[in-house]
């Protein structure tokens, strides 16, 4: 079955060498199980034939939907009959939060051949494209298909979103990012998602549980999806930080309830102040939760994807909860600062009292000493 599919596909390529591929073949979503590079020996035509025949075709009739890591044909005889295939392609998406900052300039310089030129003025991310397309096929004039691409979207604030990269392959791409990372986290955070491309979908997009179905997907769509997933996984990190601060202040309040005092040092309090302020600044400024997306502004389809994903990941609600917790932390910080300031004022007052007491004692001693002197 696989050889027959390869033969019909080869005939179409040779019959129309200059024609543009169909929209479903222009898709940037990959077919994750492409064969490795072709052997160097042999003619280009035989290499091409071996390449297509080495990729097993899916026979039989499949129900509408998707299978993880595979491309599914709704009608197995579509190639032979020449009819348009209802192809559903599935691509895994993985979001990571590795560090607190990534040097995008040095990363662009090192991976210049893989950098995708930006389409907006946003400078807080870089999109990279990697291809496993066999060079023997491009040598004989066949254009590269988007099905063999893998994408990595890296954000300056420490997130990275990987498209069409399996779990066992993700580490090598993360190592490329770590070379330019600062403030690596002891525990990397991860979130899984999926994108399904269905060219014959009636609407532009359709949501699902941990996946989204799109009629078609290009690099701007990848940027939009990557931006939301990157913000979400980074927001998880800052929420966890704030939760730790809330728990610490809760323990302090419980001790104060029992003993009527607390033992926190002034230095520790200042560290918590800095941590709370930096967390809020990073979420608002670095993550850009409330920044306008130029891609979504120009195209209503991408705006629909953006709004759906922001609602799906509850970015606004989660930021509201984070802001509420930070206000709780801020209230406790102000209270403890006042207590420490009162302690310091009390200490200074006692110091003044002790000095005045000493001065009075010395004065009385001198008066008594002078009164006991008898004139000769």
């Amino acid at each position: 079955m696989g050889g027959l599919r390869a033969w019909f596909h080869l005939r179409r390529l040779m019959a129309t060498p200059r024609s543009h591929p169909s929209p479903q073949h222009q898709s940037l979503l990959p077919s994750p199980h492409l064969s490795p590079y072709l052997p160097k020996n042999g003619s280009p035509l035989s290499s091409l034939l071996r390449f297509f025949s080495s990729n097993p075709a899916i026979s039989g009739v499949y129900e509408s939907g998707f299978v993880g890591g595979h491309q599914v044909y709704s009608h197995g005889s579509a190639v032979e009959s020449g009819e348009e295939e209802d192809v559903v392609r599935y691509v895994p998406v993985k979001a990571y939060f590795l560090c607190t900052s990534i040097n995008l300039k040095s990363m662009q310089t090192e991976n210049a051949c893989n950098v995708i030129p930006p389409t907006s003025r946003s400078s807080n991310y870089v999109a990279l494209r990697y291809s496993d397309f066999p060079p023997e096929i491009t040598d004989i004039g066949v254009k590269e298909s988007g099905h063999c691409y893998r994408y990595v979207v890296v954000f300056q604030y420490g997130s990275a979103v990987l498209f069409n990269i399996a779990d066992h392959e993700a580490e090598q791409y993360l190592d490329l990012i770590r070379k330019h990372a600062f403030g690596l986290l002891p525990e990397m955070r991860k979130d899984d998602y999926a994108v399904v491309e269905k060219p014959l979908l009636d609407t532009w997009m359709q949501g699902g549980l941990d996946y989204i179905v799109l009629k078609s997907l290009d690099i701007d769509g990848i940027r939009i999806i990557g931006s939301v997933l990157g913000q979400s996984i980074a927001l998880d990190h800052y929420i966890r930080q704030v939760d730790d601060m809330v728990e610490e202040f809760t323990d302090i309040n419980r001790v104060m309830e029992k003993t009527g005092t607390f033992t926190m040092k002034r230095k520790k309090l200042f560290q918590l102040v800095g941590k709370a302020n930096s967390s809020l600044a990073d979420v608002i400024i670095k993550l850009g939760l409330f920044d306008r997306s130029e891609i979504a502004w120009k195209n209503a389809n991408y705006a629909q994807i953006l709004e759906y994903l922001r609602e799906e990941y509850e970015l606004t609600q989660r930021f509201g909860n984070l802001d509420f917790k930070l206000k709780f932390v801020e209230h406790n910080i102000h209270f403890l600062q006042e207590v420490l300031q009162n302690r310091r004022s009390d200490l200074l007052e006692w110091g003044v009292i002790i000095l005045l007491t000493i001065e009075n004692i010395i004065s009385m001693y001198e008066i008594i000493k002078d009164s006991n002197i008898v004139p000769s």
Side-chain angles (χ1 to χ4, degrees):
M1 187 68 176
L4 187 59
R5 284 181 180 276
W7 173 246
F8 278 100
H9 194 90
L10 179 60
R11 289 187 61 185
R12 287 207 306 269
L13 288 176
M14 298 179 66
T16 57
R18 297 185 181 273
S19 62
H20 295 287
S22 62
Q24 66 189 42
H25 289 95
Q26 289 177 343
S27 165
L28 294 178
L29 284 175
S31 176
H33 293 292
L34 287 175
S35 64
Y37 288 146
L38 300 180
K40 298 297 182 182
N41 56 344
S43 64
L45 183 59
S46 61
S47 297
L48 176 62
L49 198 54
R50 284 196 300 271
F51 170 73
F52 285 113
S53 62
S54 64
N55 290 281
I58 301 177
S59 59
V61 179
Y62 285 78
E63 296 181 357
S64 177
F66 63 89
V67 179
H70 297 274
Q71 80 179 19
V72 179
Y73 296 86
S74 295
H75 302 282
S77 60
V79 176
E80 290 82 346
S81 63
E83 298 176 357
E84 184 180 3
E85 300 171 357
D86 182 10
V87 180
V88 178
R89 292 189 179 89
Y90 164 83
V91 56
V93 184
K94 300 173 180 61
Y96 298 88
F97 188 74
L98 303 89
C99 58
T100 57
S101 179
I102 298 176
N103 189 337
L104 296 183
K105 290 185 178 180
S106 63
M107 189 164 188
Q108 283 179 312
T109 302
E110 183 175 327
N111 302 272
C113 59
N114 302 110
V115 175
I116 302 175
T119 57
S120 64
R121 293 172 295 178
S122 178
S123 59
N124 74 329
Y125 74 92
V126 57
L128 306 172
R129 175 172 53 202
Y130 298 90
S131 174
D132 289 336
F133 204 82
E136 287 82 355
I137 295 182
T138 58
D139 290 343
I140 64 174
V142 179
K143 295 183 179 180
E144 288 192 9
S145 169
H147 306 162
C148 62
Y149 289 140
R150 303 179 182 187
Y151 294 88
V152 179
V153 185
V154 184
F155 297 90
Q156 188 271 335
Y157 51 79
S159 291
V161 184
L162 280 55
F163 290 79
N164 189 42
I165 297 177
D167 289 333
H168 67 279
E169 300 172 326
E171 195 62 30
Q172 61 180 332
Y173 292 93
L174 295 177
D175 287 337
L176 297 176
I177 301 173
R178 290 190 182 101
K179 296 179 182 179
H180 311 276
F182 301 94
L184 287 171
L185 303 179
E187 182 181 355
M188 180 176 62
R189 304 189 67 85
K190 179 189 175 185
D191 189 17
D192 291 308
Y193 197 65
V195 177
V196 181
E197 185 189 34
K198 191 174 182 180
L200 300 184
L201 187 67
D202 294 334
T203 60
W204 167 252
M205 58 152 287
Q206 179 179 332
L209 183 60
D210 291 334
Y211 70 91
I212 184 173
V213 184
L214 300 178
K215 193 177 184 67
S216 63
L217 180 68
D218 58 10
I219 186 58
D220 284 338
I222 289 177
R223 288 188 175 105
I224 289 291
I225 296 173
S227 66
V228 176
L229 295 182
Q231 290 173 343
S232 176
I233 195 69
L235 191 58
D236 281 343
H237 167 74
Y238 291 109
I239 290 176
R240 185 173 179 179
Q241 275 192 338
V242 174
D243 286 340
D244 292 340
M245 287 188 284
V246 170
E247 184 177 355
E248 188 167 357
F249 280 111
T250 301
D251 293 338
I252 293 174
N253 291 329
R254 287 172 181 168
V255 172
M256 290 178 60
E257 182 182 0
K258 294 179 180 180
T259 64
T261 184
F262 72 99
T263 58
M264 177 179 286
K265 295 183 179 179
R266 193 178 187 87
K267 180 180 179 180
K268 177 64 175 178
L269 182 61
F270 284 158
Q271 288 177 340
L272 289 175
V273 172
K275 191 174 183 180
N277 292 337
S278 63
S279 296
L280 183 60
D282 288 344
V283 170
I284 295 178
I285 300 175
K286 286 187 178 181
L287 268 63
L289 285 178
F290 303 103
D291 292 349
R292 187 190 73 179
S293 171
E294 293 188 17
I295 297 175
W297 180 263
K298 296 177 182 178
N299 192 311
N301 290 331
Y302 299 124
Q304 184 181 2
I305 296 175
L306 179 63
E307 291 301 320
Y308 168 76
L309 289 177
R310 286 179 63 89
E311 184 67 24
E312 178 73 12
Y313 281 91
E314 300 180 341
L315 293 185
T316 304
Q317 294 89 330
R318 288 159 64 194
F319 175 79
N321 294 334
L322 177 68
D323 186 50
F324 176 79
K325 293 176 182 178
L326 282 174
K327 288 181 179 178
F328 170 79
V329 171
E330 182 182 1
H331 173 75
N332 282 269
I333 287 175
H334 286 323
F335 171 75
L336 295 180
Q337 279 181 330
E338 290 180 1
V339 173
L340 291 177
Q341 185 65 32
N342 291 335
R343 284 184 179 179
R344 189 172 184 181
S345 299
D346 293 342
L347 182 62
L348 292 175
E349 289 177 0
W350 278 106
V352 172
I353 291 173
I354 292 173
L355 290 175
L356 291 175
T357 302
I358 294 174
E359 184 179 0
N360 290 334
I361 292 173
I362 293 174
S363 299
M364 291 177 63
Y365 173 77
E366 291 178 351
I367 292 173
I368 294 173
K369 182 179 178 181
D370 292 341
S371 62
N372 291 335
I373 296 177
V374 180
S376 56

